[in-house]
Amino acid sequence: MRTTLVAVACLAAAPFLAACTENTDSNAGGAADTGNPRALSVESTDDGCQVSAAEAPAGTLTFDVTNTGSQVTEFYLLGEDGLRIVSEVENIGPSLNREMTVNAPAGKYFTACKPGMKGEGIRADFTVTAAQDGSEAPTADDQQLVDQATTNYAAYVKDQADQLLAKTQQFVDLYEQGEDDQARTLYPDARTHWERIETVAESFGDLDPKTDLREADLEPGQEWTGWHRIEKDLWPEKARDYTPLTPAERATYGDDLLANITTLHDRVQGLTYTVDQIANGSRGLLEEVATGKVTGEEEFWSGTDLWDFQANVDGARVGYEGVKPIVEQKDPELATELDSRFADLQQLLDAQKSGDGFKNYSQLTPEEIKALSDAVNALSEPLSRLTAAVLS
Amino acid sequence: MFANYLIGLREGLEAALVVSILVAYLVKSDRRHLLPRIWAGVALAVAVSLGFGAALTWGPRGLTFEAQEAIGGGLSIVAVAFVTWMIFWMARAARSMSGTLRGQIDAAAEGSRWSLVVVAVLAVGREGLETALFLWAATKAGTRESVGTITPTWEPLLGAALGIATAVALGYLIYRGAISINLTKFFTWTGAFLILVAAGVLAYGIHDLQEARFLPGLNDLAFDVSDTIDINSWYGALLKGVFNFSPATTKLEAAAWLLYAVPVMVLFLLGVRRRQTRPATSSTKTAGTSVPSHS
């Protein structure tokens, strides 16, 4: 009879199976006697709430709630704020026991019995610790990690935009005053802050071409402005028959760049991000390295490509590290791989350091470029899986 | 025992009310041949609930809290839609019950036969899963081995069964009362009463969805009278069982209740007045007893 019932019910439950959660074996008299740390027992009396343990490892937890009082009771697992209901069982009459199964990620919680089903309930702290065995990694996505990642990333972008604006201001002043040597020193430094948030900057389709267009990418009739126009004027050695810009022209291009960077700075203030945008941005920055920097095309005149290279990698790493707590929960192997690939690439970059900055790109040997390119590719592959892992 | 009795009463009452009014209407309007559909719907809901509950109690998988609340809350809102439909369907059918249009009305009733089954299924099935889980837990209490202070006892199951039996008995009394009053009164009273029941079901459904965090504002209370009205008292159980009254009501619940009950009640009463201006009612049954149904 029971078998038939269960069979019928399973059929009826089929549409909901995705929403089902594992029941632990509960045919035994009580779940708590099995020694399983994820099986807890709760005794709810009229004025007490005895939970068999105050902590459990993350995963599928089972609370076997027995009402030994005289009133109807309820049992809750509440979030850290004491308000969010993680799970509940209601209507546990006197002498009855009911099980509550919940998939709980690591964190702080409250347990609460509500004899008489009213009021705050009899509460106690409850802690879910990270699973040691790794076999039952929690699947519930932890909103806190997500919130933290997006908040931190927004703060990072704003901070970089602040520094970008300040250094661009200095750079433009020096350039317009004809202090070319100092301007040349500051150029890759100021651009570092641009390159670190390049995917965000590029998302403004009107600003990016005015700011970061290279001469080689100019379309017929398009006016060339921005960083690279000034770059060519500061490093004209490679140019044939180059006519230096007049002070008036310098002022025009300098003021234009500063105005565009100011607009960018203002626009990022109100931006918010989602975790997949952060993960995609991280991958996007590495693609910038692969298509522009490792080829030495970006800074054709100045040869400061390695500064940009490093800045793109910085930005990609910050993005990844922001979502890393989520990746560690969902795909710990990917996190480990990304950590080691980032470290490998950084080691190669460190080898090209010179003083506070980097060697000129023209000083790199073909073998060194090949090694950098390989390291970038080795990082790109796992990084392309980042978004999927974060969203899984 | 008494506490378990009240749970049984509370969970069973609302379904018993809706079903008894539906049955009373079909009997009064001489459509007894449609009754098997109602009973089929009730039987289906009971079977599915019990089977589902058994699977969740003893089977290898349980339902997540969110899924449970989403099913309960979602079903509640669908049930409201169908009960509302039923109220106006009964009223519309009553208006032209003078005899000339009889054949057409019966045709309409035939066409709506599946709707009647659905109403019966929803009225019973909405609380069915929760009640089934409760009943199976009570059954477990009778069959388990003793562990520590817990000894096996059939008392909870007996209490719950008596509570459900009481709910059915109350439903029958309402049916008897409803059957003996004239048709105009029947529609006015049962219709208005069902609107209040449906408003309560809607608020309850909203509460379920708030608990599962599909809707916000779970802790934003409009009022809290849980110290005055104990849900575990007999009158608390009746209030909850009939009107789904919750002593601690959230603002969203209260808003949903008002936004449903007020306009629907106005529409309904306007319809009643329009009907009463015509001498259309053919039912000559006189009111033998007064109507207890709005208690």
Side-chain angles (χ1 to χ4, degrees):
Chain A
M1 174 64 186
R2 189 199 286 179
T3 326
T4 326
L5 271 182
V6 173
V8 169
C10 283
L11 215 63
F16 304 112
L17 276 184
C20 280
T21 176
E22 294 292 320
N23 261 354
T24 50
D25 180 22
S26 58
N27 285 319
D33 58 358
T34 56
N36 177 355
R38 290 189 180 88
L40 300 115
S41 66
V42 181
E43 187 179 344
S44 174
T45 61
D46 283 345
D47 52 9
C49 185
Q50 196 65 44
V51 184
S52 63
E55 66 169 51
T60 304
L61 309 180
T62 309
F63 294 84
D64 187 14
V65 187
T66 306
N67 183 3
T68 56
S70 62
Q71 293 178 299
V72 182
T73 193
E74 298 174 322
F75 180 74
Y76 289 85
L77 186 66
L78 301 166
E80 192 177 6
D81 57 4
L83 297 175
R84 184 172 66 92
I85 301 174
V86 179
S87 193
E88 65 166 354
V89 271
E90 298 173 307
N91 272 346
I92 311 170
S95 308
L96 296 189
N97 70 312
R98 287 190 53 186
E99 271 178 19
M100 184 183 87
T101 306
V102 58
N103 209 336
K108 289 191 185 303
Y109 297 86
F110 289 101
T111 52
C113 298
K114 267 195 207 180
M117 305 200 290
K118 61 183 179 186
E120 287 280 280
I122 303 159
R123 298 189 172 200
D125 290 322
F126 190 79
T127 309
V128 175
T129 56
Q132 294 301 313
D133 48 14
S135 61
E136 297 204 46
T139 53
D141 75 328
D142 194 339
Q143 192 58 36
Q144 248 181 330
L145 293 182
V146 170
D147 290 347
Q148 206 172 6
T150 52
T151 311
N152 289 350
Y153 193 72
Y156 170 75
V157 173
K158 279 189 221 172
D159 178 53
Q160 290 302 318
D162 284 349
Q163 297 189 48
L164 173 64
L165 181 58
K167 287 189 178 164
T168 307
Q169 175 85 60
Q170 280 181 38
F171 170 72
V172 168
D173 286 350
L174 291 170
Y175 173 65
E176 290 182 1
Q177 288 158 17
E179 304 280 356
D180 288 12
D181 282 344
Q182 290 180 54
R184 277 190 279 263
T185 310
L186 197 54
Y187 174 81
D189 188 10
R191 276 186 54 78
T192 291
H193 303 290
W194 166 276
E195 294 288 336
R196 281 182 183 156
I197 55 171
E198 190 170 8
T199 46
V200 177
E202 280 179 352
S203 68
F204 302 110
D206 55 336
L207 285 182
D208 184 53
K210 289 188 215 163
T211 319
D212 202 31
L213 197 67
R214 296 185 305 116
E215 189 174 19
D217 295 335
L218 274 180
E219 285 167 25
Q222 197 173 10
E223 197 201 355
W224 188 30
T225 58
W227 291 109
H228 298 299
R229 178 69 193 87
I230 298 174
E231 178 200 0
K232 185 178 183 181
D233 196 47
L234 284 171
W235 282 276
E237 297 85 13
K238 287 197 210 168
R240 251 187 264 166
D241 303 329
Y242 181 74
T243 317
L245 296 177
T246 63
E249 285 171 324
R250 282 193 169 204
T252 307
Y253 290 120
D255 291 352
D256 179 63
L257 175 66
L258 186 59
N260 288 326
I261 297 295
T262 307
T263 308
L264 172 69
H265 173 266
D266 293 346
R267 286 190 191 170
V268 302
Q269 299 306 312
L271 285 188
T272 55
Y273 309 87
T274 58
V275 278
D276 54 315
Q277 281 173 336
I278 298 172
N280 280 332
S282 181
R283 194 191 59 194
L285 282 168
L286 211 73
E287 280 164 9
E288 297 284 344
V289 177
T291 55
K293 282 74 181 185
V294 83
T295 55
E297 291 167 27
E298 178 85 4
E299 308 289 353
F300 178 79
W301 310 103
S302 65
T304 55
D305 298 89
L306 285 176
W307 273 266
D308 294 6
F309 193 140
Q310 177 70 62
N312 278 164
V313 173
D314 287 345
R317 202 187 52 238
V318 168
Y320 156 64
E321 282 174 351
V323 298
K324 188 168 150 186
I326 303 168
V327 183
E328 278 175 333
Q329 272 198 4
K330 297 185 171 174
D331 189 350
E333 279 177 33
L334 180 61
T336 314
E337 184 175 3
L338 282 171
D339 282 341
S340 81
R341 298 285 186 231
F342 268 115
D344 292 347
L345 180 56
Q346 190 56 51
Q347 207 177 2
L348 290 176
L349 276 168
D350 287 346
Q352 304 304 335
K353 284 217 161 124
S354 159
D356 286 343
F358 287 91
K359 284 184 198 163
N360 193 290
Y361 198 80
S362 60
Q363 294 171 274
L364 293 181
T365 66
E367 291 74 27
E368 285 170 332
I369 293 174
K370 173 82 165 53
L372 280 169
S373 175
D374 289 347
V376 167
N377 289 335
L379 175 57
S380 287
E381 195 278 319
L383 207 54
S384 67
R385 289 183 272 136
L386 183 61
T387 310
V390 166
L391 292 182
S392 68
Chain B
M1 167 112 170
F2 186 60
N4 290 318
Y5 169 81
L6 285 180
I7 295 181
L9 174 63
R10 197 173 65 212
E11 303 289 321
L13 199 48
E14 181 200 301
L17 294 178
V18 175
V19 171
S20 66
I21 289 173
L22 200 53
V23 169
Y25 169 73
L26 291 179
V27 169
K28 280 179 80 73
S29 61
D30 279 338
R31 295 205 191 96
R32 285 179 174 272
H33 64 284
L34 291 175
L35 284 179
R37 285 174 197 156
I38 306 297
W39 299 128
V42 170
L44 178 68
V46 169
V48 167
S49 297
L50 284 179
F52 217 148
L56 294 177
T57 307
W58 281 295
R61 296 173 85 82
L63 216 52
T64 59
F65 161 66
E66 279 86 358
Q68 209 167 312
E69 299 294 298
I71 293 172
L75 272 184
S76 292
I77 289 165
V78 175
V80 171
F82 270 91
V83 169
T84 312
W85 165 83
M86 181 178 110
I87 294 165
F88 286 96
W89 173 71
M90 292 198 313
R92 197 175 58 241
R95 196 186 310 165
S96 33
M97 212 170 274
S98 53
T100 53
L101 294 169
R102 192 94 201 201
Q104 285 178 22
I105 290 303
D106 280 342
E110 290 297 322
S112 306
R113 62 182 185 271
W114 290 113
S115 306
L116 292 180
V117 176
V118 172
V119 171
V121 166
L122 287 175
V124 176
R126 202 179 63 72
E127 284 291 326
L129 180 60
E130 181 67 28
T131 312
L133 287 171
F134 175 71
L135 283 176
W136 289 124
T139 309
K140 247 175 148 181
T143 52
R144 70 184 164 211
E145 290 165 26
S146 32
V147 178
T149 57
I150 315 159
T151 49
T153 166
W154 288 99
E155 252 190 28
L157 187 60
L158 182 63
L162 284 177
I164 292 175
T166 307
V168 172
L170 283 176
Y172 180 73
L173 287 179
I174 288 187
Y175 162 77
R176 293 296 306 180
I179 212 81
S180 60
I181 59 171
N182 79 45
L183 209 55
T184 313
K185 270 192 178 168
F186 175 84
F187 285 121
T188 314
W189 284 112
T190 56
F193 171 72
L194 281 174
I195 289 170
L196 294 182
V197 171
V201 174
L202 179 66
Y204 179 88
I206 298 282
H207 187 82
D208 267 357
L209 295 180
Q210 284 182 314
E211 286 191 326
R213 288 193 299 150
F214 291 113
L215 290 175
L218 179 61
N219 298 289
D220 204 0
L221 291 182
F223 59 86
D224 186 349
V225 292
S226 38
D227 287 333
T228 321
I229 301 173
D230 187 349
I231 212 79
N232 294 303
S233 62
W234 65 270
Y235 54 90
L238 283 184
L239 272 176
K240 168 90 177 151
V242 177
F243 296 115
N244 260 304
F245 174 75
S246 152
T249 294
T250 67
K251 285 181 180 162
L252 193 62
E253 269 180 83
W257 194 94
L258 286 172
L259 285 175
Y260 173 83
V262 174
V264 174
M265 191 64 89
V266 167
L267 277 177
F268 178 75
L269 293 179
L270 285 178
V272 166
R273 188 190 286 172
R274 202 165 58 234
R275 258 199 316 284
Q276 282 170 346
T277 55
R278 311 179 194 174
T281 319
S282 70
S283 172
T284 50
K285 277 176 189 159
T286 46
T289 54
S290 64
V291 199
S293 58
H294 62 291
S295 59

